Every structure is written in structure tokens, then in C-alpha cells.
Amino acid sequence: MCYSGDYAKRFNDWLVNTARDLKLASVKVDGGLYVDGCIAPNHGHPVGHSEAVQIETFKDLVKRLRKASPGIVIDRGWEAEPGLTETYDTTWFGDWAVAFKPEREADPLWWYRNADIYRRTLWSMTFTRPPFTISWEAPCHVLCKPVDLNALEYHLTSIAAYICNLEIHGRLLESTPEEIALTKKWVKWNWENRDWLAFTQPIASLGQPYDAANDVAVPHVDGVLHLRNAHKGRYGYLCLWNPGPNPAKPEVTVRPGDYFVTMDTSKLALIRLKDGKPVAFNRTSEGFSVSANLAPRSWEIVELKIKD
């Protein structure tokens, strides 16, 4: 439908009033918003040229929403149309290579593969997008029996520990208590660690995550850094994923100066997030190196903090 004229006015008025009454925290506009080529003569645009007026209509809506509910987050959804970067706070870049084949969802390996494909796309965005200008989804329920909680957490960490807002999708009412607990855990972690997750650096030595959409691609460990100058006693996180069917022992070397981070490694402690245990590392002239032991299809997150 052409998003202009009386229809758009009524829609905008309704949404603004709803945002004010309910004190909405966010609004997501999903699917196609604009229609070009509309030939209706009474929509307030030249016949056949409707996109410009629809963009202005949406910009006006966003201004009114922010006034009606201060602090509201505008999520544009698909980026298949003009960017409107001055109007939205976050967006979503869906990956249709895996989205339209739900018959595969009964296979636990499908959920790992889905997460691997998402990380590959998110890794590319670390070069072009500021953190938290993106929303990406993770499931709240994996449709395989028995439920593979490791697959769910692998998926949740692939989103929550990268560069984006964690958006929960799926069949919430079918989630098990264990799935709900994991989902809440990573939503909370993503929110509470934004001070560090807002600084994101790809790990060049590990390269781009393997192309899980390519059946002949070879899995390898990938990861991302979240480093900043010391803040609240912490420098940030080292996050790793092993998408392969075999254990992996990558050696990761970090040079904080490459990211304009000043770090005193003599007072550095590395702590494993899963169990709170210290992680051994070697100091180098420009930073440190660490060896990780990752089980098949697993994740590791290591906290970098100032030694107590």
C-alpha cells in the first residue's frame, strides 16, 4: 500500500497515540514500507512518483514518536530501501540463505549452521557499522527433539557477543524453562555489557567466519574482540566460536595498541566467562597471546580485567 495521503496520516496518528499511551520502548517497521510507481491521483504525490513523499511521511512519524515516547528505539527492519539513517536507531539485515526452509529446523545442526552464517555477515559489518546500530535475531526455542541447549546458547552468543542488539524470535510459548532461562541470561548479558560491546574489533589472524552456506567450505575458529581503555576495572572481552565437528586449539595474539587501547599486561587477568576460572596467557612485547581449547561446535568468552 502507498504510505502517503489520508491512510498514512491515520496510521501515523494511531501509532503516535499508542506510543504515548503505552510508553513504548521500541517500534520495529518490518517488511517493505515504500511503494514506488503509485498512480493514484489523490495521494499527494506526482502520479507514478510516490517514494519521496513516503520518505518524508516516515521521517515525520519518527519525529512525532520520539516526542510522544522519549527514548524510544526505532528499528527499521529490512534495509532493502533508502537508508533514512537520520531517522532510525537500529536496523536488521536478514540472511535469506537459511530463512525459508523451516523443514530443516528439526535437525540440531541446522541451528549451528544458521548461527555460523549470521556471524559471517556480522563480521563484515564490524568494518562498516557502529555497534548497536544493528538488531539481529536469535531463537528462543530450537525445534528439535530433544532440545539441544548447546545449540541454543551457541546461537544466542553468536548474536549477543557480537556487535548488535539481541532480538529474540521464535515460538516463545513452546520454549522450555531451560530455554527461557538461557534466553534471559544472554539478553541480560548483552544489556549489562554494552559499555564494552560498543567497542568491536575483528580478529585478523582468525579471518572471516567460514561460509556455512557453502557445503564444501571448511569450518575454522572465528572470533571478535571488544576492547577499550580500562573502564570499571575491565578492558573488555575476547569471544571465540568453533563451528567445526572437531576440537580446536587456536592461538590468538592481541596487540591492544592496534585498537588505540592502552593496557598494562603486568596487571592483566583473563577470566573464563563459563566458570569464572583464570585463563593462562603469555605476555608479548606489544600485548599478549592466549591458547584456547574449544570443543566441537562451542563458544568461549574470556573477560579481560585488571588483576585484583
Side-chain angles (χ1 to χ4, degrees):
M1 182 175 290
C2 178
Y3 179 57
S4 65
D6 290 341
Y7 159 75
K9 182 181 184 304
R10 290 194 299 271
F11 176 83
N12 287 3
D13 289 347
W14 169 81
L15 188 55
V16 169
N17 289 334
T18 300
R20 181 185 298 110
D21 294 345
L22 299 182
K23 298 180 174 60
L24 292 183
S26 66
V27 169
K28 180 175 181 179
V29 183
D30 211 346
L33 180 62
Y34 311 123
V35 177
D36 199 14
C38 174
I39 59 174
N42 60 340
H43 282 191
H45 59 72
V47 173
H49 299 278
S50 59
E51 194 160 295
V53 70
Q54 292 175 90
I55 291 174
E56 292 305 314
T57 301
F58 183 65
K59 289 166 67 175
D60 179 66
L61 169 64
V62 170
K63 290 178 182 178
R64 293 176 62 194
L65 284 172
R66 287 180 172 146
K67 184 177 180 180
S69 185
I72 194 170
V73 174
I74 310 298
D75 181 352
R76 175 61 190 89
W78 289 348
E79 272 212 343
E81 296 157 339
L84 296 179
T85 53
E86 76 273 29
T87 62
Y88 58 57
D89 304 297
T90 181
T91 187
W92 178 75
F93 282 76
D95 197 319
W96 300 125
V98 296
F100 289 137
K101 294 184 178 178
E103 68 274 9
R104 295 184 297 185
E105 295 177 0
D107 181 2
L109 294 182
W110 183 86
W111 297 93
Y112 293 99
R113 181 171 177 264
N114 196 33
D116 296 337
I117 291 174
Y118 281 5
R119 284 200 317 283
R120 181 176 173 85
T121 306
L122 290 172
W123 183 89
S124 299
M125 292 181 190
T126 62
F127 297 95
T128 59
R129 279 303 192 101
F132 299 123
T133 60
I134 310 163
S135 291
W136 213 279
E137 80 271 12
C140 59
H141 174 55
V142 290
L143 303 179
C144 55
K145 295 182 179 181
V147 168
D148 188 334
L149 291 177
N150 186 67
L152 176 63
E153 192 159 30
Y154 183 89
H155 212 308
L156 287 165
T157 60
S158 292
I159 309 303
Y162 236 94
I163 64 168
C164 52
N165 300 289
L166 174 58
E167 185 173 302
I168 300 301
H169 281 206
R171 304 181 185 183
L172 182 59
L173 297 181
E174 297 179 18
S175 298
T176 66
E178 293 80 8
E179 288 178 309
I180 293 173
L182 276 180
T183 301
K184 288 182 175 180
K185 168 186 171 181
W186 287 105
V187 168
K188 183 173 185 284
W189 187 87
N190 179 262
W191 177 256
E192 291 181 344
N193 287 281
R194 294 169 85 84
D195 285 2
W196 296 272
L197 298 176
F199 297 80
T200 302
Q201 305 91 12
I203 302 175
S205 62
L206 296 179
Q208 186 174 15
Y210 96 108
D211 185 3
N214 182 348
D215 291 337
V216 299
V218 179
H220 63 81
V221 172
D222 62 87
V224 68
L225 288 164
H226 301 288
L227 294 185
R228 61 175 296 174
N229 286 320
H231 172 65
K232 298 180 181 179
R234 275 186 277 171
Y235 293 105
Y237 294 96
L238 164 65
C239 307
L240 300 171
W241 291 268
N242 176 20
N246 301 308
K249 296 183 178 182
E251 178 86 12
V252 179
T253 298
V254 177
R255 300 190 304 181
D258 289 349
Y259 313 114
F260 306 102
V261 172
T262 300
M263 183 182 296
D264 182 356
T265 57
S266 68
K267 299 179 181 178
L268 177 65
L270 271 58
I271 305 298
R272 190 170 183 250
L273 188 64
K274 286 181 176 179
D275 56 17
K277 294 182 178 179
V279 176
F281 67 95
N282 297 311
R283 295 183 181 87
T284 66
S285 59
E286 297 178 290
F288 67 92
S289 64
V290 59
S291 296
N293 292 295
L294 285 93
R297 300 186 179 93
S298 69
W299 59 274
E300 284 289 350
I301 298 177
V302 177
E303 179 186 33
L304 282 65
K305 60 180 292 186
I306 297 175
K307 191 184 303 182
D308 295 330

